[in-house]
Amino acid sequence: MDLFFSKNIKKEKQILSLDESKHCLLSLRKKINDKIWLTEGDGVLYSADICSIKNKKIEYNNLQIISKKINSPKIHIAIAPTKNKSRFEWFLEKATEIGVDEISPLICKNSERKIINETRCVKILIAAMKQAQNSILPKLNKPIVFADFFKKRKKNIYIAHCYDTEKINFKNILFNKKKKKENITILIGPEGDFTTSEIMLSEKMGGTSINLSDNRLRTETAAILASSIAKTIL
Amino acid sequence: MDLFFSKNIKKEKQILSLDESKHCLLSLRKKINDKIWLTEGDGVLYSADICSIKNKKIEYNNLQIISKKINSPKIHIAIAPTKNKSRFEWFLEKATEIGVDEISPLICKNSERKIINETRCVKILIAAMKQAQNSILPKLNKPIVFADFFKKRKKNIYIAHCYDTEKINFKNILFNKKKKKENITILIGPEGDFTTSEIMLSEKMGGTSINLSDNRLRTETAAILASSIAKTIL
């Protein structure tokens, strides 16, 4: 199954973008009358036929809905971008493959990186979605300062940190969760960890301090393990 | 806690290797009388004091056992090395952080890479173990041809593949496993997947075909997700 991304499948003019058309024609050597699969990244998977190629762009017809996918519950990872860009990009790829729904780059006191290249990050997410034959593209939010994060979100927030305070094992929390279908948010700190005031703020706002492993995990590993644990149990 | 690796902690002469001494003195700026932590990677964690520096090598004394860790059950990942070396190396790092016990590079019919740089791989494992403050170093076996793999191992073998045959969801198998303390082995194929004859051979030898996700996962993602699922449930 060769999956392509389009922002405007439901629009009247059924045309693939130049990038997607290139991938389809040059890398995968598709031709007129070949079948392709399409998604807007919203969980809906379509099939269509290539009917013509104009100005290097593919036009398609016979659009049909093949399936609709909804992740329930949804997993939102709020993560401090790593100092080393490629580690954050690895996280984006793996999170898409595993099936994370939403990603918020989190700007913390100890963050060494406070900006991300959004265009590049979205490209990585789309490539991973296509490769994984997943019809859900994680929503990438704008970077947000730690304290502001709690202005909108109040419920089912878990904060993973390395301080030796009272923490609950994340998998035990999820195993004991009565309403397993509630969406959850997991906060993952930067290389220097959250500060104690950030943890106190999170707890004041209803966040729960969690422990993911006996080992000290890198930022991107913690995020992928937390996503995997949630996917396994919920 | 600054953890160092030594092959010979129990030997009479208590000296760190040149590499480990460099890391300790130059990167972490440790001095005589400073406390360090040591492991052979067998789960035993020691503390010791730096007592002298000779020929750029650290000598230590006051060796004491701090803790002994045993992973139970043990997780063994047999994985086809990826075409792109860095993806395999990423797997080695993450597997160590998550707590995998044994890794076998698997040579399959569709493998595009049939050799690994063992010295480099062990270096990555040791660095990840130290970083994760984990006292268990995964055992890295020699690359083994798929068919030979089954000559030694017969029990609790799970093979993850993308064919549309009868497969059981991996997490459901583990949730229903009565004897949860049995060690398990998970086989992860190369970019082009296992061949049907490899899957048939595995099933003939008692292996169980499993499904890890609705998405099509890259080799290294499948291995990390499988390890995370096993760590979560067992």
Side-chain angles (χ1 to χ4, degrees):
Chain A
M1 183 178 96
D2 295 313
L3 181 62
F4 298 93
F5 173 72
S6 167
K7 281 184 192 163
N8 301 308
I9 294 176
K10 283 161 248 162
K11 264 198 176 170
E12 217 169 300
K13 258 204 160 175
Q14 298 183 327
I15 301 175
L16 275 190
S17 71
L18 193 60
D19 273 358
E20 290 295 277
S21 297
K22 262 190 197 169
H23 180 206
C24 187
L25 297 169
L26 302 180
S27 309
L28 300 168
R29 296 174 183 277
K30 294 276 173 195
K31 294 179 301 286
I32 288 173
N33 292 331
D34 278 354
K35 197 167 274 309
I36 53 173
W37 278 261
L38 295 162
T39 185
E40 290 184 357
D42 57 351
V44 184
L45 180 69
Y46 302 84
S47 75
D49 299 321
I50 300 178
C51 58
S52 67
I53 299 155
K54 276 184 196 154
N55 300 326
K56 297 183 183 170
K57 286 183 181 175
I58 286 177
E59 295 189 8
Y60 54 86
N61 59 16
N62 292 338
L63 193 69
Q64 285 184 323
I65 291 179
I66 299 295
S67 61
K68 288 183 185 183
K69 183 164 141 185
I70 298 170
N71 283 342
S72 172
K74 293 193 194 307
I75 298 167
H76 177 183
I77 303 285
I79 175 177
T82 51
K83 188 177 162 191
N84 174 335
K85 250 193 302 191
S86 71
R87 293 190 175 272
F88 185 67
E89 293 177 358
W90 268 109
F91 159 72
L92 294 175
E93 179 181 290
K94 299 310 168 208
T96 310
E97 288 181 72
I98 289 170
V100 165
D101 298 274
E102 192 173 346
I103 296 165
S104 294
L106 204 57
I107 310 304
C108 305
K109 183 80 195 310
N110 289 334
S111 289
E112 294 204 49
R113 174 177 302 280
K114 301 195 179 188
I115 46 166
I116 59 164
N117 180 335
E118 205 182 311
T119 314
R120 187 174 156 87
C121 289
V122 170
K123 268 194 183 168
I124 291 168
L125 294 174
I126 292 174
M129 177 192 73
K130 289 164 62 184
Q131 149 84 30
Q133 302 183 355
N134 182 4
S135 54
I136 296 181
L137 183 69
K139 183 178 172 231
L140 180 67
N141 297 321
K142 299 264 174 224
I144 183 166
V145 169
F146 186 86
D148 293 340
F149 189 80
F150 295 92
K151 290 185 181 156
K152 279 190 190 169
R153 304 181 190 267
K154 312 268 176 206
K155 242 181 120 186
N156 291 321
I157 295 182
Y158 300 97
I159 181 165
H161 60 80
C162 298
Y163 290 95
D164 205 7
T165 58
E166 203 179 317
K167 290 186 287 189
I168 314 180
N169 187 304
F170 185 49
K171 66 181 189 182
N172 292 344
I173 293 184
L174 298 190
F175 275 129
N176 294 328
K177 231 170 136 42
K178 276 179 197 147
K179 294 178 191 164
K180 287 204 172 183
K181 291 291 171 209
E182 282 181 343
N183 302 338
I184 63 167
T185 302
I186 306 147
L187 271 55
I188 307 287
E191 276 91 343
D193 210 344
F194 294 110
T195 61
T196 45
S197 18
E198 283 168 339
I199 292 164
M200 279 162 64
L201 173 65
S202 149
E203 291 187 346
K204 195 179 137 196
M205 302 303 279
T208 306
S209 284
I210 57 166
N211 178 28
L212 291 167
S213 165
D214 292 339
N215 299 334
R216 181 168 288 234
L217 305 174
R218 284 181 181 275
T219 296
E220 74 280 7
T221 316
I224 289 302
L225 182 61
S227 312
S228 304
I229 292 173
K231 277 281 171 188
T232 303
I233 301 174
L234 299 181
Chain B
M1 184 179 95
D2 296 312
L3 181 61
F4 298 93
F5 173 73
S6 168
K7 280 183 192 163
N8 300 308
I9 294 177
K10 282 161 250 162
K11 265 196 177 173
E12 216 171 300
K13 258 205 160 174
Q14 298 184 327
I15 302 176
L16 274 189
S17 71
L18 194 60
D19 274 357
E20 290 294 278
S21 297
K22 264 190 194 167
H23 180 207
C24 187
L25 297 170
L26 302 180
S27 310
L28 300 168
R29 297 175 183 276
K30 294 275 175 196
K31 296 179 300 286
I32 288 174
N33 291 331
D34 278 355
K35 197 167 274 308
I36 52 173
W37 278 259
L38 296 161
T39 184
E40 290 184 357
D42 58 351
V44 185
L45 179 70
Y46 302 84
S47 75
D49 299 320
I50 300 178
C51 58
S52 66
I53 299 156
K54 275 186 197 155
N55 301 324
K56 297 182 183 170
K57 286 183 182 175
I58 285 177
E59 294 189 7
Y60 54 86
N61 59 16
N62 291 336
L63 194 68
Q64 284 184 322
I65 291 180
I66 298 295
S67 61
K68 288 183 185 182
K69 184 164 141 185
I70 298 169
N71 283 342
S72 172
K74 293 193 194 308
I75 298 168
H76 177 183
I77 303 284
I79 176 176
T82 52
K83 189 178 161 189
N84 173 335
K85 252 192 301 188
S86 72
R87 293 189 175 273
F88 185 66
E89 292 176 358
W90 180 88
F91 158 73
L92 294 175
E93 180 181 290
K94 300 310 168 207
T96 309
E97 288 182 71
I98 289 171
V100 165
D101 299 274
E102 192 173 347
I103 296 166
S104 293
L106 204 57
I107 309 305
C108 305
K109 184 78 193 311
N110 290 334
S111 289
E112 294 203 51
R113 173 177 303 281
K114 302 195 178 191
I115 47 166
I116 59 164
N117 180 337
E118 205 182 309
T119 313
R120 186 174 155 87
C121 290
V122 170
K123 268 193 183 170
I124 291 168
L125 295 174
I126 292 174
M129 178 193 73
K130 288 164 62 183
Q131 149 84 30
Q133 301 183 355
N134 182 3
S135 54
I136 296 180
L137 182 71
K139 183 177 172 231
L140 180 67
N141 297 321
K142 300 264 173 222
I144 183 166
V145 169
F146 186 87
D148 293 340
F149 188 79
F150 294 92
K151 289 185 182 157
K152 280 191 190 169
R153 305 183 188 265
K154 311 270 175 204
K155 241 181 121 185
N156 292 320
I157 296 182
Y158 300 97
I159 180 165
H161 60 78
C162 298
Y163 290 95
D164 205 8
T165 58
E166 203 179 316
K167 288 186 287 189
I168 314 180
N169 186 305
F170 185 49
K171 65 181 190 183
N172 292 343
I173 294 183
L174 297 191
F175 276 129
N176 295 326
K177 231 169 136 42
K178 277 179 197 146
K179 293 177 193 166
K180 289 205 171 182
K181 292 289 171 210
E182 281 181 343
N183 301 338
I184 62 166
T185 302
I186 306 147
L187 271 54
I188 307 286
E191 276 91 343
D193 209 346
F194 293 110
T195 61
T196 45
S197 16
E198 283 168 340
I199 293 164
M200 280 162 63
L201 173 65
S202 149
E203 291 187 346
K204 196 178 137 198
M205 302 303 279
T208 305
S209 284
I210 57 166
N211 179 29
L212 291 167
S213 165
D214 293 339
N215 299 334
R216 182 169 288 234
L217 305 174
R218 285 181 181 276
T219 296
E220 74 280 6
T221 317
I224 289 303
L225 182 60
S227 312
S228 304
I229 293 173
K231 276 282 171 187
T232 302
I233 302 174
L234 299 181

